[in-house]
Amino acid sequence: MHDVMNEQVIEEHIMAELNVLYEQAKEIGDEVWALSQWAKETKPIQEWAKYRVRVRWKTNSISIEWNRVIFVGPPGKRRPLSKYVRRGKGYAYRISTFGDAPDWELFSIGRFEGQFGPMRKRIERLVKMLKEIRAYSREKQAAIEREKLLEEEIE
């Protein structure tokens, strides 16, 4: 019983750390949004932000993805659509992926990815640990059940 509680405590700590990373990523995502709004208010349309970041929970994990913003529709009724930007290998996006972004946005994306890359790596490790502790707990529970059945057969 005490061991199961230890596993639950470990799982709770992992989930708490994932929550911290999620909140940090959301704060950075808010910075991206604020910069986008700043550009919209102060720059000509050609220099508006072309990319946005999306931070969200996915079943026991966190997704941090960039999207290319594309506007569709007639002038005055245009609406934004997001197109997922593929990251490629590694934990951080390559700056060359955002080649059509204005210079100010490229600089910002580079700064944000300097934070997001290590966060993605930590998230991946935490999710692996979470899966392993859950698998271990299931296997241990199955062993306890088998042991009980054997004891009942002996009696």
Side-chain angles (χ1 to χ4, degrees):
M1 182 75 148
H2 181 66
D3 291 337
V4 172
M5 287 188 59
N6 287 339
E7 291 149 22
Q8 289 172 345
V9 169
I10 292 168
E11 187 173 332
E12 287 170 10
H13 282 287
I14 293 169
M15 290 303 293
E17 186 64 20
L18 282 170
N19 276 317
V20 168
L21 289 169
Y22 176 75
E23 291 303 321
Q24 289 174 351
K26 288 293 281 184
E27 285 178 20
I28 297 168
D30 290 345
E31 285 183 56
V32 172
W33 178 257
L35 273 173
S36 176
Q37 290 305 109
W38 165 81
K40 195 172 182 181
E41 294 167 4
T42 62
K43 301 217 175 263
I45 195 168
Q46 304 90 326
E47 291 190 40
W48 286 5
K50 293 181 174 32
Y51 295 90
R52 293 192 184 142
V53 71
R54 179 180 291 160
V55 178
R56 59 189 167 157
W57 271 104
K58 287 185 171 181
T59 313
N60 294 322
S61 186
I62 302 165
S63 166
I64 306 170
E65 304 169 338
W66 287 94
N67 291 278
R68 172 74 163 89
V69 180
I70 302 165
F71 290 92
V72 295
K77 293 188 177 186
R78 296 181 150 242
R79 57 189 173 94
L81 291 179
S82 294
K83 183 179 179 189
Y84 169 73
V85 177
R86 194 167 182 274
R87 186 175 75 232
K89 292 183 180 182
Y91 296 100
Y93 283 80
R94 295 177 185 261
I95 293 301
S96 60
T97 305
F98 306 95
D100 62 336
D103 289 342
W104 71 266
E105 189 177 24
L106 280 174
F107 176 80
S108 298
I109 289 170
R111 187 170 64 86
F112 295 133
E113 274 302 303
Q115 295 171 286
F116 283 145
M119 288 175 95
R120 288 186 192 100
K121 187 174 187 175
R122 289 170 56 202
I123 290 165
E124 181 182 277
R125 290 177 191 269
L126 287 167
V127 168
K128 283 180 181 177
M129 288 191 304
L130 190 60
K131 288 178 181 176
E132 288 298 321
I133 197 72
R134 287 176 177 169
Y136 172 79
S137 189
R138 283 190 305 271
E139 290 168 5
K140 188 168 119 181
Q141 189 60 40
I144 291 169
E145 296 296 324
R146 282 192 303 274
E147 197 172 293
K148 283 181 184 176
L149 286 174
L150 285 173
E151 287 176 3
E152 288 174 5
E153 286 178 7
I154 294 173
E155 291 176 0

